[in-house]
Amino acid sequence: GDSHPMGSDTVSRLYNAIRDVPDFPKAGIVFKDITPLLLDAELFGSAVDMICDEHRDRRVEKVVAIESRGFLLGAPVALRLGVGLALARKEGKLPWRRHRVEYELEYGSDVIELHEDGIRPGERVLVVDDVLATGGTAAATLEVVKLAGGEVAGLSFLIELAFLGGRKKLGANPIQALLSYS
Ligand code: AMP
């Protein structure tokens, strides 16, 4: 195989470390379980490196990680980039003053919130989450970043469910997905 640390061998090992769990959390959903990847320190580190490398020249000043598995990736990415970490959370989780964006789901709606001091006006933000599915959550996060006055430097996902077309909701921003499923 390819011995380069960021080579195709690493990518196939990443694919092999994602566990498909059918009918979780409900019938018809194939849940992409990233916990086997997190158990492998070398692979986890490679995923974080690949995200940091992608945005190296985009002058990222803040990472915004999306609740909850996005936190697991966003925190090490922020540390490695040497920038701060802000949390995009579901309704009612953040204790202080917050910006708020409501977005539509298949049934009902959901809310993404960000502390008012999470991003300084004009700051260049990298948005991180584990899975890009329909794109609703990430699109709402982009909106809340804009409410706070942030500029989007890019978005990174470990996994893109490309067949759901979520990318279309994310505008012209640079989007990285380490693994893509069609
Ligand atoms: P969406 O707003 O549809 O793009 O959904 C994205 C959010 O839901 C992400 O924060 C993911 O963690 C989670 N998610 C959606 N679909 C899946 C899936 N098939 N497996 C694991 N997580 C998912």
Side-chain angles (χ1 to χ4, degrees):
D2 186 351
S3 63
H4 189 278
M6 293 302 177
S8 58
D9 184 55
T10 303
V11 173
S12 43
R13 286 174 60 214
L14 286 170
Y15 273 107
N16 287 329
I18 304 301
R19 177 161 52 203
D20 283 5
V21 183
D23 299 320
F24 183 89
K26 56 184 181 188
I29 305 276
V30 179
F31 190 84
K32 295 294 184 188
D33 177 16
I34 65 166
T35 62
L37 189 159
L38 300 175
L39 286 171
D40 185 325
E42 193 190 327
L43 266 189
F44 188 12
S46 297
V48 169
D49 285 342
M50 289 164 86
I51 293 173
C52 293
D53 289 348
E54 173 76 11
H55 303 286
R56 201 66 78 179
D57 300 325
R58 296 207 173 108
R59 297 184 297 107
V60 172
E61 296 170 300
K62 181 71 53 71
V63 169
V64 170
I66 302 177
E67 182 164 3
S68 58
R69 288 176 299 279
F71 296 171
L72 303 170
L73 292 165
V77 165
L79 280 178
R80 199 158 288 185
L81 290 176
V83 303
L85 174 68
L87 307 180
R89 300 208 66 176
K90 304 289 163 60
E91 186 159 41
K93 302 290 182 69
L94 289 172
W96 196 63
R97 285 162 43 189
R98 58 220 97 97
H99 297 291
R100 178 182 197 278
V101 169
E102 192 168 344
Y103 61 104
E104 300 307 312
L105 299 173
E106 199 182 348
Y107 303 102
S109 64
D110 222 334
V111 171
I112 281 284
E113 298 183 332
L114 180 76
H115 272 157
E116 286 182 8
D117 62 356
I119 297 171
R120 286 192 298 270
E123 211 164 36
R124 293 177 54 78
V125 169
L126 169 60
V127 174
V128 177
D129 202 0
D130 66 333
V131 175
L132 172 61
T134 67
T137 310
T141 303
L142 293 182
E143 268 192 68
V144 90
V145 164
K146 278 175 197 131
L147 280 181
E151 308 269 339
V152 179
L155 300 98
S156 280
F157 303 90
L158 195 51
I159 294 166
E160 176 181 13
L161 304 181
F163 56 90
L164 294 175
R167 197 175 264 266
K168 288 198 298 281
K169 294 195 182 124
L170 306 181
N173 299 298
I175 302 167
Q176 175 194 34
L178 300 186
L179 308 175
S180 179
Y181 295 83
S182 46

